[in-house]
Amino acid sequence: MFVEVIVRVTTYARACPQPDEPAARPTAVESELTGVVGPSCAPPDADPRWVAAEASWVRMTVPITRDDDGHLVVDPHLRPTDSS
């Protein structure tokens, strides 16, 4: 089974010149929130070291599977097997 979604993808460019002050890093509490998978590769909106360059809408087809407990799992990193 698959679900088709449309996602907004934004590319970023380094700000030039770089600001002198480094951006704040997430605290341990922020990184341990329920449902948080891990740090994002995209910079925070308020990070002065990066500027949004371009945004576009991209269509993705994502597989839906079930975990060992029978719950639905949507993971864009999964790839369908040949038998799907």
Side-chain angles (χ1 to χ4, degrees), residues 10-65:
T10 304
T11 56
Y12 289 86
R14 288 193 183 272
C16 293
Q18 292 284 321
D20 295 333
E21 185 177 314
R25 305 273 272 164
T27 65
V29 173
E30 291 172 329
S31 62
E32 294 175 6
L33 295 174
T34 303
V36 174
V37 176
S40 171
C41 63
D45 293 336
D47 189 337
R49 297 174 298 175
W50 295 90
V51 293
E54 182 180 321
S56 58
W57 293 97
V58 177
R59 185 180 312 268
M60 290 179 63
T61 303
V62 184
I64 300 175
T65 59

